[in-house]
Amino acid sequence: CSSDLDTPLPNGIRLIVRTDTTSPTVTVVGQVKHNGDLQTPKDQEGVGNVLDGLYSYGTTNLDRIAFQKALDDIAANESAGFEFSLQVLKEYFSRGMQLLADNELHPALPEKAFMITRQQTAQFVAGNLQSPGYRTSRALDMALLPVGDPVLRETTPATVSKLTLEDVKQYHDTSLRPDLTTIVVIGDVTPEEAKAVVEKSFGDWKAAGPKPNTILPAVPGNKPSAANVADSEAVQDSVTLAEQIDVNRFDPDYYPLQLGDHVLGGGFYATRLYHDLRQVAGLVYGVDVSFDASKTRGSYSVDYGCDPPNVSKARALIVRDLNQMRTEDVSDAELRQAKALLLRQIPLSESSEEAVAGGLLGRAIVGLPLDEPIVAAKKYSALTAADVKAAFAKHIDPDRLVQIVRGPTPQ
């Protein structure tokens, strides 16, 4: 899970290389740290989406068709943007990186394509704003986050339609910076070769102006609330119970909460919520628990699907089970099983070149150690039932749950 090379380049790019000679190919994944909610200028919501739609129109050096032909000539797959990637045969690694850098740093952004992309984006946004899926996630954000939070900024057909090509170019030039970029190279290539090729392709890229902030501020806990989102297609209800919690990805309690999550859910019939809500009570079709944590924020949620008359009955059982996690030790058998579920996911997440590269990139961007899966395995193995109970007692408060129901009016 570690790398053979992890080094900053002179222009600020972080380069991570892992040699893997299983096949004569090289996989490259990269990411520019970016947060549209923080970086999009006022009244330009949607500018990032429009920019994203324009990378496929070639570069200032090669038009769309010539650029695609250049990729086809070396049988490479490439995509550019805030997240970018390249899959290429070892012998064409240098040419592939040259094309990737050209697309990333010098996209053509032609006027005609901009007009089309802007119109398509506005149409998509108009439809999306009406969709029950969007309205549900919006209702959840509004319930969990304080007024004025950057995440609550909304892209509308009006904000997209007002965008100019100059806005898009400006956004590209200010947001894409080498000092916010991480590149992971994995495959049949030595660290020295990879570094030389990346420096040749991306070395002239320079950052200009002050570095933008890409990290959301921490948020206070939410107050309890409930909202229903109508969905004329749905006969059953999809329910989310969620709360903002004071745990970020670097909090030591991240691990006992994840372990407790796998006691509650994550293992189908064998886990508590599935057993209590579906097997015993027959109230739900399915139930899922998730705990998400970023650098500065954490949220905890339980999702379930059921018939409208069962919404509050199922909720009562979930609250009971959450309270039990806070007040009673989980059994040895549950603890062992939850550890097994978590430890089994670790090697599975490293099963292909793309998965390994994606894992290294994800950890680098968040700021975790590159060997985090090994660190995590040791932490999970050492946790006790008391650790799990203490973490739940400290951070999970069933009285603060927000309830969002999509579908018929619940009972």
Side-chain angles (χ1 to χ4, degrees):
C1 294
S2 63
S3 65
D4 305 323
L5 176 74
D6 178 5
T7 187
L9 301 182
N11 63 356
I13 290 175
R14 179 177 177 182
L15 174 64
I16 298 167
V17 184
R18 169 97 67 87
T19 303
D20 176 358
T21 53
T22 321
S23 72
T25 56
V26 180
T27 296
V28 179
V29 293
Q31 193 172 330
V32 183
K33 274 188 198 156
H34 167 255
N35 187 311
D37 297 326
L38 292 171
Q39 289 171 263
T40 300
K42 189 175 172 347
D43 300 327
Q44 288 185 22
E45 287 84 0
V47 66
N49 309 54
V50 175
L51 171 60
D52 221 35
L54 288 171
Y55 282 104
S56 58
Y57 286 91
T59 72
T60 50
N61 302 303
L62 295 167
D63 69 26
R64 188 177 195 166
I65 292 164
F67 186 77
Q68 194 50 57
K69 183 182 181 306
L71 287 172
D72 291 343
D73 287 346
I74 58 169
N77 281 324
E78 177 270 356
S79 70
F82 290 108
E83 297 181 10
F84 52 92
S85 66
L86 172 73
Q87 286 92 27
V88 67
L89 291 165
K90 172 191 177 165
E91 62 200 275
Y92 299 123
F93 173 47
S94 184
R95 174 64 175 150
M97 282 304 279
Q98 192 186 352
L99 290 168
L100 173 64
D102 194 26
N103 195 188
E104 189 71 15
L105 308 183
H106 313 290
L109 308 178
E111 178 85 39
K112 203 168 151 193
F114 162 72
M115 306 295 276
I116 295 166
T117 305
R118 181 179 64 181
Q119 188 190 357
Q120 288 172 337
T121 306
Q123 285 168 342
F124 170 78
V125 168
N128 190 44
L129 289 176
Q130 302 305 316
S131 71
Y134 175 82
R135 296 200 333 266
T136 304
S137 68
R138 180 78 183 165
L140 185 60
D141 285 343
M142 300 279 284
L144 289 175
L145 298 168
V147 175
D149 191 80
V151 172
L152 298 177
R153 292 182 70 175
E154 193 166 37
T155 301
T156 66
T159 62
V160 173
S161 302
K162 283 201 308 237
L163 293 168
T164 64
L165 182 54
E166 198 41 54
D167 294 335
V168 174
K169 288 180 172 170
Q170 189 69 39
Y171 195 65
H172 173 274
D173 295 347
T174 54
S175 305
L176 280 105
R177 302 168 59 101
D179 54 355
L180 290 172
T181 301
T182 302
I183 296 178
V184 178
V185 179
I186 183 163
D188 194 357
V189 59
T190 67
E192 297 71 32
E193 287 171 326
K195 186 173 179 222
V197 166
V198 172
E199 285 197 307
K200 187 174 153 209
S201 324
F202 283 94
D204 293 340
W205 186 18
K206 298 283 182 278
K211 208 176 187 176
N213 174 33
T214 61
I215 298 167
L216 289 164
V219 281
N222 57 280
K223 296 194 164 51
S225 65
N228 300 335
V229 176
D231 180 352
S232 56
E233 311 270 295
V235 287
Q236 70 178 60
D237 281 324
S238 303
V239 187
T240 298
L241 300 175
E243 63 180 291
Q244 204 73 43
I245 58 174
D246 58 341
V247 177
N248 64 37
R249 183 58 188 82
F250 297 90
D251 192 309
D253 284 340
Y254 174 84
Y255 299 97
L257 285 171
Q258 283 288 11
L259 189 59
D261 249 15
H262 284 71
V263 170
L264 283 168
F268 214 47
Y269 283 112
T271 47
R272 251 186 217 190
L273 288 174
Y274 212 91
H275 175 266
D276 293 354
L277 281 106
R278 175 158 180 166
Q279 240 175 325
V280 177
L283 290 173
V284 304
Y285 300 107
V287 59
D288 218 14
V289 198
S290 61
F291 160 42
D292 290 311
S294 67
K295 266 188 174 172
T296 49
R297 301 182 170 194
S299 66
Y300 196 87
S301 60
V302 183
D303 292 275
Y304 59 99
C306 66
D307 293 326
N310 294 333
V311 170
S312 47
K313 292 178 203 157
R315 176 182 173 141
L317 282 181
I318 290 165
V319 168
R320 182 200 73 185
D321 282 5
L322 286 174
N323 275 320
Q324 213 172 352
M325 294 293 291
R326 303 170 68 222
T327 52
E328 296 170 30
D329 285 346
V330 301
S331 70
D332 287 347
E334 285 177 309
L335 196 65
R336 268 201 311 276
Q337 177 184 289
K339 288 181 181 184
L341 283 169
L342 269 165
L343 296 174
R344 197 170 66 213
Q345 285 170 5
I346 292 171
L348 287 175
S349 67
E350 305 274 307
S351 55
S352 70
E353 242 176 49
E354 278 86 356
V356 174
L360 289 167
L361 179 63
R363 297 191 280 280
I365 290 288
V366 175
L368 289 165
L370 295 182
D371 63 348
E372 156 65 13
I374 292 165
V375 175
K378 289 181 180 148
K379 287 184 176 169
Y380 288 131
S381 301
L383 287 170
T384 64
D387 296 330
V388 174
K389 180 173 73 177
F392 270 77
K394 185 175 172 188
H395 302 289
I396 306 296
D397 178 3
D399 293 338
R400 281 201 304 111
L401 288 169
V402 159
Q403 175 177 299
I404 309 289
V405 180
R406 171 180 167 181
T409 306
Q411 292 157 37

